[in-house]
Every structure is written in C-alpha cells, then in structure tokens.
Amino acid sequence: MHLNDLVNHGSEWLKGTGPHSDIVLSSRIRLARNLDKIAFPHWANKKQNKDVLDAVEEAVSKIDLLKKTTVFRLADLDNVDKQFLIERHLMSYEHAQKSDSKAVVIDEEEIVSIMINEEDHMRTQVMQSGFNLFEAWNIISAIDDFLAKELPFAFLPDWGYLTACPTNTGTGMRGSVMLHLPALVMVNQVNQVLAAISKLQFTTRGLYGEGTQASGNLFQVSNQVSLGHSETDIIENINGLIRQIIEQENQARETLVSRNRAMLEDKINRSFGILKSAYIISSQETIELLSMLRLGCDLGIIKDLDRRQVNELFIVIQPAHLQKIENNKLTAQERDIKRAEIIRKKLVKQ
Amino acid sequence: MHLNDLVNHGSEWLKGTGPHSDIVLSSRIRLARNLDKIAFPHWANKKQNKDVLDAVEEAVSKIDLLKKTTVFRLADLDNVDKQFLIERHLMSYEHAQKSDSKAVVIDEEEIVSIMINEEDHMRTQVMQSGFNLFEAWNIISAIDDFLAKELPFAFLPDWGYLTACPTNTGTGMRGSVMLHLPALVMVNQVNQVLAAISKLQFTTRGLYGEGTQASGNLFQVSNQVSLGHSETDIIENINGLIRQIIEQENQARETLVSRNRAMLEDKINRSFGILKSAYIISSQETIELLSMLRLGCDLGIIKDLDRRQVNELFIVIQPAHLQKIENNKLTAQERDIKRAEIIRKKLVKQ
C-alpha cells in the first residue's frame, strides 16, 4: 500500500455505523508496550532505537490477523505525509517531530496502527466506528497476545507493563470515545458534563488530539488511570460514563426538537446551504458547519445524506489532506479555496 | 382592482429592465400640486379636505392615459393594507398616519400613484424601471397637462406651483433614482460619493423612504432644489450626477472582479445558499443577502436567475406583504419563518 492510496480511502472508524453512531463517532483502544532491558526511546541511543525498530517491524510482519499491513518509516516521509497521517488519527503529533528510527504500521482498513519508537517502543491502537470499545479491545488484545509471543515486553508482576511515562504504567491501556455533543453545547450544559468527567478521572480533548480545543462539538473522552484495574474493568468504567453522556445528549436533542424545531431547522439547513455554496472557507468554520450537518442527519432534518460522508469530511478538509488531494503544496489561502471546492463537489451531488 | 390583486402582481418599476438596470433599480418623478384658493391639507377644515378629495377623484377618473386606475380611500383600509401600499412605494408613510379624506389612486401596472391630501392636495408619482427619468417625466407631464385642464392648480407666474412646504415650490418636482451600489460599499468609497452628492444639493436615503437607513446597498438620490430651474434642467442635472455614480460603481465592480474574484464568488454564492436554505430570517439579513444576489446576477456569477425576481423579493419580504400573502396577522417571529419559506420557494425552483 502506498501512502497516497489512503487519500481516496474511507477509514473503517469513520463509516458512521456501530452502536450509538449518531452520538459516538468512534471508539479507540491503545496499548503502550516496551521491550525488556532496552531504554525507553527518548533515553535510548541510536543503535538501540534502530534495534527496536527492526525487532518490532519483524514481529509485526508476522501477524496474520491484519489485512495487508504496511510499514511507513518516518525517514521516508515528508512533512505533508506526516501531517496527513496525524490528520487521519494514524499517528500522534509527537511521533512526527523526529524521524530517526521511527515508523508507523497501518493495516489496509485503517483499523490498526502501531507507532514504533514514539514515547514508548510500541504504541498500538485499534479504532472502531460507533460506541464499540469492547470490539476494539478484542482486536487489540489478539494482536497484543500475538506480539507478546514474539517480543520480550517489559512487565513486572506487581506493576504490570512498564512505560516511559508513569501515568501509562499497569495496563498501558487508554480507551477513548469520540463524542458528538451539539445539543449539550446548544443548551449550555456541556461544561457541566465536562466538569463532572474530569472529577471522575477522565480527560476530554478535541477531535484533533491532545492539547487541541474542542471544535465542531466533538469531544474525545479517555480514562486517565491505567493502573490498579483490569483492562475490562477500565473499559466497563468508561462505558458506564459514556452511556450517561449519550443519555444526556439524547435528552438535550429531544428538548431542542420539541421546543426549538424552527431554530434547529434553520441552523442545520443554513449550515448545509453554506457548505454547498461557499468558495472560500476556513477549517474552523467548516468543522462547526459539519457538526450541524451531522446533527441534521441524526435528526432526519437532512435526508439523502450519508453520515459517513459527513464523518469523512471532518478529516478530508484538513490541510495535509487538501495538499495530498491536490498533489501540491498549498498556502493557507489556497487551501481555503480548495477546501470549499471539495466540499461543494461532495455535497452538491446530493 | 382589489388591493389583494397586487399581492401576486409584479410592479412595472421592479421589472429589472431599462437603461443601466444593473445599477439603477428604478427612476421616479413626483409632482406636488395644490388647488387654488383652498388651504393646504394640514390647515384645511374637514369640508375643504372632502371637497378636494372629491374634485381630484373626479378629475383623475377622466384620465384615459392610464390603464384601469383604482381609487383606494384610506378610510377603507386597515393598517396592514396601508403598510402594504407603503412597502410597494405607492404611498408615503406620512400619508398613512391619518385616514380622513385621504386616498391613493393607482393604475394597474403600478406606474402611477396619486396621493390625495397628503402634505399637498395632490402628490403624483410615476415610476419606471432602470435609469429612465425622462420617460417618467414624459408620462407624468402628460398626466399633469390633462389634470391642469380639469383642476385649478395654485400657480403664480413668479413662483411657479405653490406647495405646503416651500422646499417644493416652483416646479413642485422631485426626481429620484434608486441605485444599487454594492461595489462602492465593498471598496469603502460610498461615503465619499454620498458626501459629494450632499454638497451638490442632492439628498440620499434608503430603499424604504425618507428617514430610513440605507440597507442592501440601495441608495435613493433626489434633487433638493425644485425652484429656479425648468423641470428638464433639473432632470438633466440629476442625470449627470447619476451617470458619474454609475461610472464609479462600474469601476469598483471591475476592480473587485479583477482583484477579488474568489472573495466575490464566495460572498455571492454564500448569500444565495443561505437564502435558499434558511428557515428563520430577518428582513435586515434578507436585504443584505439579496443585494449580493443582485450583484451576482449583474456579474454573471449567478446564472439562471432573473434580476426581476431579486428586485421583487426586496419588496415581498416586508412585513405587510408577508401578512397579505399569508392573509393573516403575523408576529415578528412568525414573519421571520414565513419570510424564509417564501424566499426558499421562490429561489429553490431555480
């Protein structure tokens, strides 16, 4: 698989199906693993990093659970390529900062990605569409079991898996759910919900990863604690919280539909109208309008539009994607024009 | 003709044709006339007002220059009816304030309206589409010649026609041209142009009459002086000024098209998109968006849309029109919903 093959490819996690996919965009599990007796990547020397890269690459190549995996060595990628992978949620911003002895392994359906020599020797993630953490866990667990036979993971019976940052020690697991909460935002209850989440030792961030502001009413909720509980307990814990938020969002949607239907129809249809007609549009404005479009699909206010298309637009309108599609470097101004063109083409067909 | 017949009727002056109709919406001439030896309306007693009403009505009924004139006595009209006539530019706001012995006479094509017992005994106006003051003058002059034979107009050789307000004395004539100047507004030159106009003893006001703010980039330019010059000299004078403004607006349009085409396409197409998709919209927002739509038609950026339709929408989206169309009283909120519905119906067909 060539990196450019992904440009016109729809990721599994964006397909807009799965449980509660009206409110939950996607579910993600990641595991942090390190090889025994080798310094963590930031402390390792060049040779050690290279050895880890080779060992993990070899082990990964043996997994037959995954359809057609490809290893992308970061040294072979330019900045747009790297940004493109970050935008697709296939690797982290931190991973892209240096290229030496770093790689990311991706399967054809973009369900799995394995970062080699990020903060830990290995960061494996599995993404699923909708509210589906256990399905993601089943997949990642099978991969992890396989790799555990191939690679000597750093593990202490009392501590669990050892990791570069102590907050990941134990299970090395983080479960994240990407929620779309436009109604809670509109009825001004979202801050209350987010405050409650942080008290329960969960964190929230935006669609575009750690440190990013929530935009487009998208909130990613993750566990903070990975130590002292089993993986399934942690997932159950996240699931319980997410079920409550889904319930609150559903109630807020019902309130809006029954009390403010005209306002909703106006806001949603205007968003659709602007997206179909703009010739210059920023990513920030696009994301806010797409959020309304997605809500419109969920509420049946917008018909004949597939939720998958809306999900994919959230990803496709980002800078590196635009440049990959255009196969050229673009200035910010050129991107705003290209973005509008792509959105019109995708939506006006409807 | 019944007043309600006008609801689905397109006024002659809105048809979007005539010289320079890309920049000039319409041209209007009005003449102030009073009957000799009868006090002006505000000073006259009830009987005098009634006598004037009867005499003018009778004289007007004899004009065969006009197709099917109808006399609407204000005492027979409710507030929505009166507001409806004001919105169609067929009578003034001041005329609607009291109903006693007042009337307005309208021909079927809405070219001519004659207010009886406004500030003067008679205020006759003729409206034409585009930049067409002389055509309006020809029509109103023929009407005036006819009426002068039927009615004893107050006239002094040294002063000309006598009027309630001295600013109208002399010719009793005011010529007005409704200009659409979106490009001059966008390049921030319109205030300069308006300042020059006022130095030249012309006044400007908005689409919706005296005292109204300019909105939708529409500016009505009129002569201030009606004394000391012949009617044709005054018209020539206005025409010269308007030709300069047209030239400046055309230059500003060319500048925008050559330097900011993407911005223009974006602004114009977004306006069209919002108008086609909104479910709640204020008249103020509508007018600003319609202005962009009209510019889009003029520049060929929006195709398959008739300028007449855009012109008519400026009128149809006003409160009394909406209530006439709905045949019901509507609150401001209901009007915003109805307005959006009417606009969608008119534009989505395209």
Side-chain angles (χ1 to χ4, degrees), chain A residues 314-342:
Chain A
F314 275 107
I315 302 303
V316 162
I317 54 91
Q318 296 173 90
H321 272 75
L322 297 175
Q323 294 177 80
K324 277 287 183 192
I325 291 167
E326 192 68 359
N327 201 19
N328 213 340
K329 294 233 183 251
L330 299 172
T331 64
Q333 219 172 1
E334 289 166 340
R335 290 201 299 269
D336 287 352
I337 292 171
K338 188 71 196 166
R339 181 178 296 114
E341 187 191 316
I342 288 169

Side-chain angles (χ1 to χ4, degrees), chain A residues 262-263 265-266 269-270 273-274 277-281 285 337, chain B residues 262-263 265-266 269-270 273-274 277-281 285 337:
Chain A
M263 178 279 284
E265 285 185 323
D266 182 58
N269 282 293
R270 276 175 183 246
I274 293 170
S277 56
Y279 275 66
I280 302 175
I281 196 162
E285 184 185 4
I337 292 171
Chain B
M263 178 279 286
E265 286 186 322
D266 182 57
N269 282 295
R270 276 176 185 248
I274 293 171
S277 57
Y279 275 68
I280 303 175
I281 196 162
E285 185 185 3
I337 292 172

Side-chain angles (χ1 to χ4, degrees), chain A residues 16-143:
Chain A
T17 57
H20 296 286
S21 54
D22 53 341
I23 293 174
V24 182
L25 200 73
S26 60
S27 302
R28 169 180 167 272
I29 301 269
R30 74 110 169 99
L31 295 177
R33 295 288 183 263
N34 289 279
L35 304 195
D36 203 19
K37 301 189 173 60
I38 304 180
F40 296 129
H42 294 323
W43 290 267
N45 60 36
K46 280 198 172 187
K47 185 180 177 304
Q48 286 173 312
N49 279 333
K50 182 70 173 61
D51 289 346
V52 168
L53 179 65
D54 291 341
V56 176
E57 265 193 37
E58 201 198 327
V60 167
S61 71
K62 293 180 188 163
I63 310 179
D64 52 8
L65 287 164
L66 305 176
K67 279 190 208 158
K68 293 188 191 163
T69 55
T70 310
V71 180
F72 296 102
R73 292 207 169 193
L74 267 56
D76 301 333
L77 304 180
D78 67 17
N79 285 339
V80 172
D81 290 336
K82 285 187 244 179
Q83 184 59 34
F84 175 75
L85 288 171
I86 296 169
E87 289 173 0
R88 289 185 89 76
H89 292 208
L90 293 170
M91 74 177 196
S92 64
Y93 175 76
E94 293 68 28
H95 198 45
Q97 296 319 299
K98 286 185 181 167
S99 293
D100 251 20
S101 295
K102 287 183 168 198
V104 58
V105 186
I106 298 159
D107 75 306
E108 197 184 42
E109 293 174 289
E110 297 177 68
I111 295 171
V112 179
S113 96
I114 302 171
M115 288 185 284
I116 308 175
N117 284 326
E118 205 238 27
E119 185 181 293
D120 296 298
H121 293 146
M122 285 182 69
R123 285 278 181 105
T124 305
Q125 76 166 18
V126 166
M127 304 265 284
Q128 289 288 288
S129 179
F131 184 28
N132 235 339
L133 280 177
F134 272 115
E135 184 57 29
W137 168 247
N138 289 337
I139 297 169
I140 207 165
S141 180
I143 294 168

Side-chain angles (χ1 to χ4, degrees), chain B residues 34-70:
Chain B
N34 289 279
L35 305 194
D36 203 19
K37 300 190 172 59
I38 303 180
F40 295 128
H42 293 323
W43 290 269
N45 61 33
K46 280 199 171 187
K47 185 178 175 308
Q48 286 173 313
N49 279 331
K50 182 71 173 63
D51 289 346
V52 168
L53 178 66
D54 292 342
V56 175
E57 265 192 40
E58 201 197 327
V60 166
S61 72
K62 292 179 188 165
I63 311 178
D64 52 8
L65 287 164
L66 305 177
K67 278 191 207 158
K68 293 188 189 162
T69 55
T70 309

Side-chain angles (χ1 to χ4, degrees), chain A residues 116-303:
Chain A
I116 308 175
N117 284 326
E118 205 238 27
E119 185 181 293
D120 296 298
H121 293 146
M122 285 182 69
R123 285 278 181 105
T124 305
Q125 76 166 18
V126 166
M127 304 265 284
Q128 289 288 288
S129 179
F131 184 28
N132 235 339
L133 280 177
F134 272 115
E135 184 57 29
W137 168 247
N138 289 337
I139 297 169
I140 207 165
S141 180
I143 294 168
D144 190 52
D145 288 349
F146 179 90
L147 291 174
K149 288 176 202 147
E150 299 288 326
L151 297 164
F153 286 155
F155 181 87
L156 288 178
D158 285 351
W159 283 94
Y161 294 98
L162 303 184
T163 54
C165 176
T167 57
N168 293 312
T169 300
T171 57
M173 188 187 87
R174 181 149 291 161
S176 308
V177 174
M178 185 70 74
L179 295 157
H180 184 230
L181 306 176
L184 281 173
V185 171
M186 278 194 255
V187 302
N188 289 320
Q189 282 179 16
V190 83
N191 287 332
Q192 210 174 314
V193 172
L194 297 183
I197 288 171
S198 72
K199 276 190 200 148
L200 295 167
Q201 295 203 293
F202 290 90
T203 54
T204 48
R205 40 187 173 158
L207 172 63
Y208 302 116
E210 196 151 5
T212 66
Q213 282 272 316
S215 56
N217 305 312
L218 288 163
F219 300 87
Q220 182 177 312
V221 178
S222 312
N223 59 306
Q224 273 186 311
V225 175
S226 58
L227 186 70
H229 300 281
S230 73
E231 288 88 346
T232 50
D233 280 355
I234 293 170
I235 293 172
E236 265 307 356
N237 210 355
I238 306 174
N239 279 354
L241 175 71
I242 300 298
R243 271 190 289 268
Q244 282 180 45
I245 303 174
I246 290 172
E247 178 58 27
Q248 288 171 310
E249 170 67 15
N250 269 327
Q251 278 175 13
R253 290 185 183 192
E254 278 169 32
T255 304
L256 285 172
V257 168
S258 62
R259 295 192 199 159
N260 293 297
R261 185 161 185 103
M263 178 279 284
L264 263 188
E265 285 185 323
D266 182 58
K267 217 167 153 59
I268 288 167
N269 282 293
R270 276 175 183 246
S271 300
F272 199 14
I274 293 170
L275 287 167
K276 282 191 289 191
S277 56
Y279 275 66
I280 302 175
I281 196 162
S282 71
S283 58
Q284 190 51 44
E285 184 185 4
T286 303
I287 289 163
E288 300 305 327
L289 296 174
L290 285 174
S291 168
M292 286 301 106
L293 204 53
R294 197 178 197 279
L295 181 63
C297 292
D298 295 341
L299 298 178
I301 288 174
I302 290 182
K303 296 174 180 80

